[in-house]
Structure formats: C-alpha cells, structure tokens
Amino acid sequence: MATSDTNQYATDVFLRDLLECPVCMETIRSVPIYQCANGHVICEDCIEKLNSCPICRNDSVLRRNLKLENIVQRLED
C-alpha cells in the first residue's frame, strides 16, 4: 500500500471514530450534531431519547458541535 493510501486510510478511520455516536454506534452522517459540556458527541436521532450524556452522565444542556457539523457537511460534498 502506498504511503498516501495508508495516510488516507488512517484519516478515514480517525474520522469514523470521531463521528461515532456512543448510543447507536453508527457513524454520524448528518447534522445537527450535539455534544455535552465535556465534548461527548451524540447524533440527532439519539439525542431525543436522552436526558443526560451516555458517557459521563453529565446532565448539562446539550449543545451543537458546529465544527463537527462542518466536517460532516464537507464529507457529504
């Protein structure tokens, strides 16, 4: 495998891990993307089922993660 292919694969794996919802375990592919006060991300479908963050159990207001939304939108193009 060429170096550029290896780098692309590593980047793809990194992005999939970064964009994985901890509730449904699916890669987040659409916006909006929400996060707790500690930065844990949750997809739009799962946010409706939760009262607190599924990772840290923080019950702070879940807010949108605009940077991750920007990444997802660029990946869709």
Side-chain angles (χ1 to χ4, degrees), residues 39-65:
H40 302 120
V41 297
I42 302 144
C43 74
E44 180 181 20
D45 294 333
C46 293
I47 195 84
E48 298 170 3
K49 307 170 194 171
L50 302 173
N51 294 325
S52 63
C53 174
I55 297 174
C56 64
R57 303 294 183 214
N58 185 327
D59 61 354
S60 65
V61 175
L62 298 172
R63 302 195 185 275
R64 289 177 67 180
N65 185 317

Side-chain angles (χ1 to χ4, degrees), residues 7-21 25-29 33 41 67-76:
N7 289 341
Q8 183 62 47
Y9 176 77
T11 300
D12 290 348
V13 170
F14 173 75
L15 286 174
R16 278 195 301 270
D17 288 345
L18 186 66
L19 293 170
E20 183 177 278
C21 175
M25 306 304 285
E26 296 290 327
T27 300
I28 300 171
R29 299 182 188 277
I33 300 172
V41 297
K67 235 354 145 182
L68 281 183
E69 288 182 10
N70 187 280
I71 290 169
V72 166
Q73 288 171 329
R74 287 182 183 217
L75 289 174
E76 288 177 347

